[in-house]
Amino acid sequence: MIKKYLYISLGFIFVGLGSIGIIIPGIPTTPFILLAAWLFSKSSPRFENWLLKHKIFGPLIINWKLYRGISKNSKIYAIITVFITFMTTAWFTFSYKIDILFIFGGLILCAFIYTRPVPPINKNNY
């Protein structure tokens, strides 16, 4: 019983973090929402269903569950955001050696996003 309420609480925390990530670059949206969906699937069918039918988050979850894919628009937004965020952070905060590692990590992240399949276009994609 405690586990159920812990998962529900964590699910809402991750929905909140994902929501913040829509507005603030550098905070990832999709991983937080996918984690929230998983937590709700283990604890509350009602909240899982709410998240799956959500106007913004539902398509992300459905595309990942069905196709392990990311829509073209989401890929473009994610890669641009990663590029701007990682370059800005590297420019202002790290030494030269750490900059190279940090930028390399950003390139790996962008490559991962780029190589995910694009789901078939349907009413769930945006």
Side-chain angles (χ1 to χ4, degrees):
M1 191 64 139
I2 293 173
K3 187 176 175 181
K4 175 183 176 177
Y5 292 113
L6 176 65
Y7 279 13
I8 291 172
S9 299
L10 287 172
F12 279 110
I13 289 169
F14 287 117
V15 167
L17 289 171
S19 299
I20 293 169
I22 292 173
I23 301 165
I24 301 175
I27 297 177
T29 298
T30 304
F32 288 140
I33 297 303
L34 292 175
L35 185 54
W38 181 82
L39 289 163
F40 287 150
S41 74
K42 300 295 181 192
S43 59
S44 172
R46 179 176 139 214
F47 293 132
E48 179 188 23
N49 190 43
W50 165 75
L51 202 53
L52 288 171
K53 291 183 183 214
H54 192 276
K55 179 182 175 184
I56 296 172
F57 301 137
L60 294 172
I61 299 164
I62 292 167
N63 285 339
W64 188 257
K65 276 186 163 187
L66 296 178
Y67 308 107
R68 293 287 188 246
I70 303 171
S71 72
K72 184 178 176 183
N73 290 341
S74 292
K75 282 184 181 191
I76 292 168
Y77 176 77
I79 289 172
I80 289 170
T81 303
V82 166
F83 179 78
I84 291 169
T85 303
F86 274 57
M87 292 302 286
T88 303
T89 303
W91 179 264
F92 287 113
T93 58
F94 298 125
S95 69
Y96 176 71
K97 291 177 183 177
I98 296 176
D99 283 349
I100 293 171
L101 290 173
F102 193 70
I103 291 169
F104 184 70
L107 290 173
I108 290 172
L109 178 57
C110 288
F112 175 80
I113 293 167
Y114 180 77
T115 58
R116 296 308 92 205
V118 176
I121 295 175
N122 60 42
K123 68 179 181 175
N124 292 326
N125 290 11
Y126 52 93

